[in-house]
Amino acid sequence: MPARYSLRPFYITFSYIGMAGWVFSMIFHTRDFNFTEKLDYFAAGASVLYGLYYTPVRIFRLDQKKPPVKQTLLRLWTITCVLLYIAHVSYLTLWRWDYIYNMAANVAAGVVQYILWSCFSVQRYRKLGKPWAAWPGLIVASVVMAMSLELLDFPPLSGMMDAHSLWHLGTVGPTYWWYK
Ligand SMILES: [Zn+2]
């Protein structure tokens, strides 16, 4: 990725938040304590919210300097997302550790970005007719399929493999594909 490409810092931040999310997730799934659970949930929340933040930046190219209204929109959108994250963490820390709310918040943030990416993909594919133009939409569809494991939970198979472990496994492929 060229150093002068203006979306580069967004992709780099995206990858760091993603790495933090998966590292904290690994730690939590090997050592299940109050503290490790919070780290996992907050990092996962940050990663979903960053995805939501980044999507309109890429689709509407809010990283561009012209017209100047894009910079204003980018600032407003950044502040909105930072405040949303602070509100989310504050609610879970100071008010109530609420699993249902946490899941609902992540699913809502996820669904909005998936809809945006799907519309973007359809539009680009129609315009360019290239298979890779449809990739974001297909990746989103595969993540949604993996995510359905989170919502349609079942007891562990052979007492070992539960829906959540399969969800983690199911995110490996789309992540690799996404970075391509
Ligand atoms: Zn997990």
Side-chain angles (χ1 to χ4, degrees):
M1 206 189 297
R4 61 194 160 70
Y5 185 44
S6 55
L7 276 171
R8 186 186 160 101
F10 294 94
Y11 285 113
I12 291 176
T13 312
F14 184 66
S15 68
Y16 278 126
I17 294 182
M19 283 188 276
W22 295 118
V23 167
F24 288 135
S25 160
M26 272 191 300
I27 295 172
F28 169 55
H29 285 305
T30 44
R31 286 290 179 271
D32 185 346
F33 302 123
N34 226 323
F35 176 64
T36 55
E37 183 181 36
K38 285 201 162 54
L39 282 181
D40 177 33
Y41 277 58
F42 294 155
S47 140
V48 173
L49 188 59
Y50 193 85
L52 178 64
Y53 167 69
Y54 159 79
T55 306
V57 175
R58 168 62 188 87
I59 292 179
F60 305 113
R61 290 308 302 264
L62 300 181
D63 57 302
Q64 291 172 341
K65 301 270 183 287
K66 278 176 194 163
V69 68
K70 285 193 173 180
Q71 289 292 297
T72 311
L73 286 174
L74 178 64
R75 253 177 250 127
L76 285 174
W77 181 231
T78 307
I79 295 168
T80 306
C81 288
V82 168
L83 290 178
L84 274 176
Y85 187 66
I86 293 173
H88 176 72
V89 171
S90 311
Y91 174 71
L92 289 172
T93 320
L94 308 170
W95 191 256
R96 197 151 51 103
W97 186 249
D98 183 339
Y99 289 100
I100 308 270
Y101 155 74
N102 181 66
M103 171 77 92
N106 280 294
V107 169
V111 166
V112 173
Q113 55 190 286
Y114 297 162
I115 291 172
L116 285 168
W117 279 118
S118 303
C119 296
F120 182 63
S121 260
V122 169
Q123 189 218 349
R124 298 292 277 188
Y125 183 72
R126 279 201 188 135
K127 197 171 160 199
L128 302 166
K130 299 266 190 272
W132 50 261
W135 281 11
L138 296 173
I139 294 169
V140 157
S142 58
V143 173
V144 168
M145 269 160 56
M147 196 164 75
S148 60
L149 288 162
E150 284 284 84
L151 304 172
L152 313 167
D153 203 9
F154 56 81
L157 304 167
S158 322
M160 283 169 65
M161 197 156 46
D162 67 355
H164 188 70
S165 69
L166 292 175
W167 143 253
H168 276 291
L169 183 65
T171 58
V172 175
T175 305
Y176 177 75
W177 194 4
W178 187 254
Y179 278 101
K180 290 193 83 160

